[in-house]
């Protein structure tokens, strides 16, 4: 029997480890996705860049035609909303587990933003759809979730604030107050991904609704704000190493006395922390698997470069110089290790939802993006100056990956949380050590030593 086509993009060993966790539908969908990536998405990447105007004004008004064409093709193939598991969302989901989608996310990671958007699996939309599917009212789901699931609109998630250390979400100052039948929002956010897209129709905004609550984790609420509501002001797109990521962007946004109906409150007053914890778990795994796909793509590009006979220097292939072979081996080892780590987190989410996988998610969050940045950096070095330029995808890839070490919380936060979780094992370790000493003493006494 021929191996599954995903083996070409991952590895035979990793596929053998998880193949029995895939249903026939999962295997068939994964195969379709691999072929769609190779035959449709990757050949369209340069065209998508060419169809995005360089005019600063037009960049933020453009819906890239080839992406819309790919979305139509993907939907006909059944490659649509793959991230949303029917196990957790029976009304809206597809029959895939987090483990199955994790492999698909790695495949998508090879095609950058284009690949994920083509199959309606783009951040921040994926996380926002999960929020509304899990916590939204029937009215909110009909008005916002259904169009998002259909790919007709896009969305933004507004939490990070410009003048606040948002790595501690308790610091958020945006005000969310009720006045009669309306909710009034005032705040200054930035790095709001998706806010610049002309298709974005809603922002999920987190702010403080009860700042005096003794429980600091019940002070925040999340509310749906229409993107065109009076008082929503897009100030500017933020750039990452010079990239503006148009047309989605990562924008600075001011909410100036924005008024929305009370019915736009998600889940209930003071439930903001509960919502963001439920949102971030699976989303972090999606990011990590896409990062592994990007790293694998970078390693492929590096190998192509160092074995290119037209790129010989001093009479040798590039791989015959210095530590290039060792760097290739190091990159492969790191990719394989990271994949196993994220797969274990995905499996834990399937078994216990995100809340039961906090340790595994936290470890993946600080290990994987740093790993991927290192792999891409080695590939850039192999390409020389060209690797830093717009003529190769590596520089853009690095910028996106470096962002992930801050997105959804900086590395330091996750490292601290994992470390504190480990320290909680200390009493049990001390207890077992004492029991072991007693057993050792008994064994020695019996032997009369």
């Amino acid at each position: 029997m021929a191996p599954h086509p995903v083996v070409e993009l991952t590895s035979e060993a990793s596929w053998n480890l998880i193949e029995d966790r895939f249903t026939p539908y999962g295997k068939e969908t994964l195969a379709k996705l691999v072929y769609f990536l190779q035959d449709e998405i990757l050949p369209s990447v340069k065209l998508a860049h060419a169809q995005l105007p360089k005019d600063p004004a037009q960049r933020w008004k453009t819906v890239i035609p080839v992406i819309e064409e790919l979305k139509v093709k993907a939907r006909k193939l059944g490659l649509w909303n793959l991230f949303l598991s029917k196990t957790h969302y029976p009304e809206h989901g597809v029959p895939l587990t987090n483990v199955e989608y994790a492999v698909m996310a790695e495949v998508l990671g090879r095609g950058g933003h284009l690949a994920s958007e083509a199959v309606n699996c783009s951040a921040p939309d994926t996380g926002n759809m999960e929020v509304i599917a899990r916590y939204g009212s029937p009215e909110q789901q009909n008005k916002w979730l259904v169009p998002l699931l259909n790919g007709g609109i896009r969305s933004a998630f507004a939490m990070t604030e410009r003048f606040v250390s948002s790595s501690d979400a308790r610091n958020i100052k945006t005000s969310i107050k009720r006045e009669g039948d309306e909710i009034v929002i005032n705040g200054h956010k930035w790095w709001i991904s998706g806010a610049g897209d002309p298709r974005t129709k809603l922002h999920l905004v987190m702010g403080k609704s009860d700042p005096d609550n003794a429980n600091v984790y019940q002070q925040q609420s999340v509310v749906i704000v229409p993107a065109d509501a009076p008082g929503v002001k897009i100030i500017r797109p933020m750039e990452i190493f010079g990239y503006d990521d148009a047309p989605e962007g990562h924008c600075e946004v001011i909410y100036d006395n924005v008024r929305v109906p009370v019915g736009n409150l998600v889940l209930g007053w003071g439930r903001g922390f509960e919502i963001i914890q439920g949102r971030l778990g699976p989303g972090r795994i999606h990011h990590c698997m896409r990062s592994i796909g990007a790293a694998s793509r970078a390693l492929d590009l590096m190998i192509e470069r160092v074995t290119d006979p037209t790129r010989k220097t001093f009479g040798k292939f590039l791989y015959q110089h210095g530590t290039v072979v060792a760097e290739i081996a190091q990159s492969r080892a790191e990719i394989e290790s990271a994949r196993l780590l994220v797969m274990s987190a995905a499996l834990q989410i399937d078994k216990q939802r995100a809340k039961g996988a906090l340790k595994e998610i936290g470890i993946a969050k600080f290990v994987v993006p740093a790993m991927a940045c290192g792999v891409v950096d080695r590939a850039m070095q192999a390409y020389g100056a060209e690797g830093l330029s717009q003529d190769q995808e590596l520089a853009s890839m690095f910028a996106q990956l470096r962002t992930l070490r801050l997105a959804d919380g900086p590395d330091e936060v996750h490292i601290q949380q994992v470390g504190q979780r480990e320290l909680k094992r200390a009493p049990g370790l001390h207890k077992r050590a004492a029991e072991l000493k007693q057993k050792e003493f008994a064994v020695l006494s019996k032997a009369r030593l």
Side-chain angles (χ1 to χ4, degrees), residues 25 29 32-33 36 67-85 92-96 101 104 108 114-122 125-126 129 145-153 199:
Y25 172 81
T29 303
K32 286 182 182 179
L33 186 63
F36 189 62
I67 296 181
E68 296 305 302
E69 294 168 10
L70 288 170
K71 287 165 72 173
V72 173
K73 294 177 181 179
R75 197 161 190 180
K76 287 182 179 178
L77 289 169
L79 301 174
W80 198 252
N81 295 331
L82 304 173
F83 71 97
L84 200 63
S85 174
H92 304 290
V94 295
L96 294 171
Y101 178 66
M104 296 177 194
L108 292 172
L114 173 64
S116 293
E117 186 175 348
V119 296
N120 210 39
C121 292
S122 293
D125 295 331
T126 51
M129 284 188 266
L145 177 60
V146 172
L148 282 168
L149 290 170
N150 289 333
I153 65 173
R199 297 162 294 180

Side-chain angles (χ1 to χ4, degrees), residues 20-256:
D20 62 353
R21 295 192 176 276
F22 273 66
T23 64
Y25 172 81
K27 291 179 183 179
E28 179 185 358
T29 303
L30 178 59
K32 286 182 182 179
L33 186 63
V34 170
Y35 295 132
F36 189 62
L37 173 83
Q38 295 172 326
D39 298 337
E40 299 284 355
I41 293 174
L42 293 181
S44 302
V45 171
K46 289 187 177 179
L47 176 58
H49 286 303
Q51 290 179 338
L52 182 64
K54 296 190 181 299
D55 181 340
Q58 293 303 314
R59 288 171 68 78
W60 302 100
K61 299 178 182 178
T62 299
V63 176
I64 299 173
V66 71
I67 296 181
E68 296 305 302
E69 294 168 10
L70 288 170
K71 287 165 72 173
V72 173
K73 294 177 181 179
R75 197 161 190 180
K76 287 182 179 178
L77 289 169
L79 301 174
W80 198 252
N81 295 331
L82 304 173
F83 71 97
L84 200 63
S85 174
K86 186 178 283 291
T87 300
H88 301 311
Y89 306 100
E91 184 178 351
H92 304 290
V94 295
L96 294 171
T97 64
N98 277 290
V99 168
E100 290 172 315
Y101 178 66
V103 181
M104 296 177 194
E106 179 178 349
V107 172
L108 292 172
R110 287 175 164 265
H113 289 315
L114 173 64
S116 293
E117 186 175 348
V119 296
N120 210 39
C121 292
S122 293
D125 295 331
T126 51
N128 292 343
M129 284 188 266
E130 288 208 51
V131 165
I132 301 174
R134 184 173 179 181
Y135 303 114
S137 67
E139 294 76 17
Q140 292 169 352
Q141 292 180 1
N142 288 333
K143 185 173 183 178
W144 304 110
L145 177 60
V146 172
L148 282 168
L149 290 170
N150 289 333
I153 65 173
R154 298 207 63 188
S155 61
F157 188 80
M159 186 172 78
T160 305
E161 297 187 0
R162 182 172 183 188
F163 302 106
V164 164
S165 295
S166 299
S167 57
D168 182 352
R170 295 172 300 180
N171 292 334
I172 287 173
K173 297 185 182 301
T174 292
S175 170
I176 294 178
K177 295 182 178 179
R178 178 168 183 168
E179 292 186 5
D181 293 332
E182 293 183 317
I183 298 173
V184 183
I185 303 102
N186 284 283
H188 194 158
K189 305 281 190 179
W190 71 345
W191 298 106
I192 308 308
S193 299
D197 197 305
R199 297 162 294 180
T200 292
K201 300 302 180 185
L202 70 148
H203 298 189
L204 285 176
V205 182
M206 182 172 176
K208 281 196 175 177
S209 54
D210 188 6
D212 298 322
N213 194 309
N215 187 337
V216 294
Y217 296 103
Q218 294 179 359
Q219 295 179 352
Q220 297 81 8
S221 296
V222 172
V223 63
I224 298 173
V225 175
D228 61 356
V232 177
K233 302 175 182 179
I234 308 296
I235 306 302
R236 57 172 176 160
M238 305 303 299
E239 296 181 357
I240 301 172
F241 297 140
Y243 294 97
D244 62 11
D245 284 346
E248 301 108 4
H250 312 281
C251 297
E252 182 176 354
V253 184
I254 290 177
Y255 300 93
D256 182 11

